[in-house]
């Protein structure tokens, strides 16, 4: 394609016309132009002209995928009362791979401003969990701590990338922290955890929210309980894998317990021995594939359900050692370094797999990453 010609045409567009609805391809109505441009790489369209750049961030263009990161100030300082808490609070940003830049998400609706601490200025060596998941193409914030070490959320906060708007989920029956969170299809699951104080009933509970229902019908539905409360001591990722939620109560190679919730049968099952034995670090799921990153060696493996074993995809890697969180999607696995200072992107679809590094904004540390469609940008 001759890129110079479209650029010249775009510069000749009348200014008033550009402000209303820019002409995408001179001589064609825009609804036909969109069909012509929709199959082209967004990285190409971004470089040609401003009208095409606006187009790829509009609802009319098939959304490309971006990296969403939960970040927090690296060195909180000063007091952390109610008035100052938002200065230390974690926030979400989106890395746009086409523009190659970080973009801030709109602030979640909250009055006063939402306070989610990963480090308390009075206890900076203590890591406080902030738990977020993806479900049905949305980003859902489930649990966090306030400056008083209380549950920060009375209901989930949900971000829709295509509209670039936040909304509220149904109120929790028991706001909690240090819980197990996960999703499968259109449903969000919250299990165990601790509220303002420990309660045995909360520590054994499992609840489901079906996002496909009408908003007026949104509720948390109680499901089969845990046999005990051993999963309320750590922030736990419950992975939706082949109709089941899979989770372990401790990361790394320490002795751990596994649990599997059968969604169809609404019952808890024993985790397969091979799955549990190879779960040696943060894990994630992409479609029908489950991956685990060994925190000690830095190797990445994929679970073989037929043989109940883990197949190594990447040999031990120094850069992946100690990773605290991983996420997968679109043929890539993204890993957060142990100190939160780097994001390593592994292209597992390549042979051999490629690994490249992404730095967070200066002064910020990464807590978690997710792969979702890009945000719609009204400024474009």
């Amino acid at each position: 394609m001759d890129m110079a010609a479209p650029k010249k045409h775009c510069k000749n567009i009348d200014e008033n016309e550009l402000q209303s609805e820019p002409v995408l391809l001179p001589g064609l109505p825009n609804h036909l132009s969109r069909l012509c441009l929709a199959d082209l790489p967004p990285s190409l369209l971004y470089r040609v002209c401003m009208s095409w750049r606006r187009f790829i961030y509009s609802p009319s263009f098939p959304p490309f995928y971006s990296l969403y990161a939960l970040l927090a100030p690296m060195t909180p300082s000063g007091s952390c009362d109610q008035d100052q808490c938002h200065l230390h609070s974690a926030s979400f940003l989106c890395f746009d791979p086409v523009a190659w830049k970080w973009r801030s998400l709109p602030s979640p609706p909250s009055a006063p401003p939402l306070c989610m601490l990963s480090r308390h200025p009075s206890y900076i060596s203590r890591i406080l969990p902030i738990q977020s998941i993806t479900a049905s193409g949305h980003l859902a914030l489930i649990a966090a701590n306030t400056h008083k070490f209380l549950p920060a959320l009375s209901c989930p906060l949900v971000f829709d990338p295509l509209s670039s708007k936040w909304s509220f989920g149904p109120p929790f029956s028991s706001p909690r922290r240090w819980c197990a969170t996960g999703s499968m299809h259109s449903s969000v699951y919250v299990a165990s955890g601790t509220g303002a104080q420990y309660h045995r009933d909360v520590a054994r509970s499992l609840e489901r929210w079906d996002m496909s229902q009408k908003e007026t019908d949104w509720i948390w539905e109680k499901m089969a309980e845990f046999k005990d409360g051993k999963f309320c001591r750590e922030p736990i990722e419950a992975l939706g894998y082949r109709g089941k939620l899979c989770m372990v109560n401790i990361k790394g190679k320490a002795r751990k317990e596994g649990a599997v919730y059968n969604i169809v049968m609404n019952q808890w099952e024993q985790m397969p021995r091979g799955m549990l034995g190879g779960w040696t670090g943060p894990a994630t799921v992409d479609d029908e594939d489950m991956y685990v990153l060994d925190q000690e060696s830095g190797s990445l493996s994929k679970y073989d359900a037929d043989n109940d074993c883990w197949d190594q995809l990447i040999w031990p890697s120094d850069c992946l050692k100690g990773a605290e969180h991983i996420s997968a999607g679109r043929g890539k696995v993204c890993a957060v370094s142990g100190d939160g200072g780097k994001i390593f992107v592994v292209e597992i679809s390549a042979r051999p797999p490629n690994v490249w590094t992404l730095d967070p904004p200066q002064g910020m540390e990464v807590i978690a990453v997710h792969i979702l469609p890009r945000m719609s940008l009204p400024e474009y």
Side-chain angles (χ1 to χ4, degrees), residues 15-279:
E15 183 176 352
N16 293 328
E17 189 179 41
L18 190 63
Q19 290 176 352
S20 56
E21 186 179 8
V23 173
L24 296 174
L25 291 173
L28 280 180
N30 272 0
H31 71 280
L32 294 180
S33 298
R34 295 188 190 103
L35 295 176
C36 296
L37 297 175
D39 290 333
L40 295 177
S43 57
L44 171 64
L45 301 180
Y46 183 88
R47 295 193 300 266
V48 175
C49 62
M50 185 57 71
S51 62
W52 290 11
R53 186 176 297 186
R54 289 193 183 101
F55 175 53
I56 67 173
Y57 291 105
S58 73
S60 302
F61 188 80
F64 53 89
Y65 280 73
S66 299
L67 183 69
Y68 290 73
L70 177 63
L71 301 108
M74 193 169 291
T75 54
S77 60
S79 64
C80 192
D81 55 23
Q82 181 63 51
D83 295 332
Q84 299 294 321
C85 184
H86 68 281
L87 299 177
H88 312 286
S89 182
S91 58
F92 283 101
L93 280 82
C94 172
F95 182 76
D96 183 338
V98 174
W100 203 256
K101 65 186 294 185
W102 288 98
R103 303 183 190 276
S104 297
L105 270 64
S107 298
S110 179
L114 183 64
C115 177
M116 304 182 296
L117 296 184
S118 65
R119 296 183 188 270
H120 196 286
S122 301
Y123 308 93
I124 59 174
S125 63
R126 183 179 183 183
I127 305 298
L128 302 175
I130 301 174
Q131 295 178 259
S132 57
I133 62 171
T134 59
S136 294
H138 294 68
L139 176 65
L141 184 59
I142 302 296
N145 284 269
T146 69
H147 66 294
K148 293 184 178 180
F149 301 103
L150 297 173
L153 299 169
S154 59
C155 65
L157 286 172
V158 182
F159 181 74
D160 180 3
L162 301 185
S163 66
S164 292
K165 293 181 179 179
W166 289 91
S167 60
F168 295 103
F172 293 116
S173 58
S174 298
R176 61 190 82 192
R177 308 161 293 158
W178 286 288
C179 54
T181 60
S183 66
M184 190 74 187
H185 304 307
S186 62
S187 293
V188 175
Y189 294 84
V190 173
S192 193
T194 302
Q197 296 177 339
Y198 173 83
H199 290 283
R200 182 175 178 272
D201 290 344
V202 173
R204 295 184 57 198
S205 66
L206 170 67
E207 298 184 359
R208 179 177 74 108
W209 162 36
D210 187 353
M211 296 179 66
S212 67
Q213 298 291 327
K214 293 182 180 178
E215 188 171 340
T216 54
D217 296 329
W218 280 354
I219 60 169
W220 286 99
E221 179 184 2
K222 293 186 181 297
M223 311 303 288
E225 291 185 338
F226 274 111
K227 63 179 180 180
D228 52 45
K230 292 183 179 180
F231 282 74
C232 69
R233 302 165 186 167
E234 296 282 341
I236 295 169
E237 295 180 68
L239 304 182
Y241 178 69
R242 300 190 178 186
K244 299 180 180 181
L245 291 178
C246 307
M247 65 196 84
V248 295
N249 63 338
I250 298 175
K251 290 182 181 179
K253 290 189 176 180
R255 182 178 177 85
K256 62 179 68 70
E257 290 190 25
V260 175
Y261 172 70
N262 188 314
I263 292 173
V264 175
M265 302 299 293
N266 186 29
Q267 66 183 23
W268 291 94
E269 302 173 353
Q270 290 290 329
M271 178 173 284
R273 182 177 298 180
M275 178 187 286
L276 179 61
W279 201 312

